[in-house]
Amino acid sequence: MPTIDTARLRLRPFSPDDAPAYHTAILSDPDVMRYLPGREPLPVEQTAANLDRIREHWEQRNYGLWAVIHRPNDRLIGHCGLHMLPEGTAVEVVYALARAYWGQGLAAEAAHASLRYGFETLGLDRIIAVAVPANTASLRVMEKIGMAYQGIIPAYGTELPCYALARAGFQPGDALYVLRDEA
């Protein structure tokens, strides 16, 4: 599976050893989980199963979620990557970071790197993003990375605002992006 370095982040495959840090950063925090499918913190016992599903998605589709590592302190702070919507209708860029890392532009940095991987490496034509309407910070990230509002779509068992970007409109920019295949 590939690894991507950006200016402040490393997007790398999850390992089973990441379970405690991932659970603490994302899955157990009610402030983070209120914006994710299910909207409730998960018990620690479900963390390994979540990591298994992430690995299976990579194996089936050749893309998925990476562990987001904050390079200055080498700490796992969340996840980001590409995911097939459960409805199977589109590839979505997803991101979730630990609360302590909100508001620093890190979600946009990770999401932009994921878009670049999707367009340049996978050759995808279009990538979408959806968010709970109350998650205005996530909606701003979508706009910051060049996505445009498309309307409301059915996703995750509800109706959510959808943003999208076509490969033809993607601007890779000059930000640090180092892709390594570490199969």
Side-chain angles (χ1 to χ4, degrees), residues 56-173:
E56 289 167 6
H57 191 281
W58 271 102
E59 290 172 359
Q60 293 169 358
R61 301 186 185 276
N62 201 32
Y63 62 86
L65 302 184
W66 285 284
V68 177
I69 308 301
H70 189 241
R71 290 176 57 198
N73 61 17
D74 200 34
R75 180 177 235 165
L76 188 149
I77 63 168
H79 68 249
C80 185
L82 302 173
H83 181 76
M84 178 61 72
L85 275 178
E87 291 77 6
T89 55
V91 176
E92 150 186 50
V93 62
V94 298
Y95 41 88
L97 298 181
R99 191 171 13 135
Y101 294 88
W102 291 359
Q104 300 174 39
L106 297 170
E109 187 173 320
H112 188 269
S114 297
L115 289 176
R116 190 165 178 180
Y117 180 78
F119 292 132
E120 294 180 359
T121 302
L122 300 176
L124 298 174
D125 290 324
R126 182 175 183 262
I127 299 173
I128 71 159
V130 297
V132 175
N135 192 350
T136 55
S138 186
L139 299 174
R140 282 192 305 274
V141 167
M142 294 173 197
E143 292 171 353
K144 186 176 181 179
I145 63 175
M147 301 184 110
Y149 180 71
Q150 304 293 300
I152 304 295
I153 67 165
Y156 298 98
T158 188
E159 302 284 317
L160 296 173
C162 175
Y163 285 68
L165 181 62
R167 180 175 22 169
F170 177 68
Q171 299 294 320

Side-chain angles (χ1 to χ4, degrees), residues 38-49:
R39 299 201 183 171
E40 296 290 329
L42 297 176
V44 70
E45 299 81 24
Q46 289 185 9
T47 304

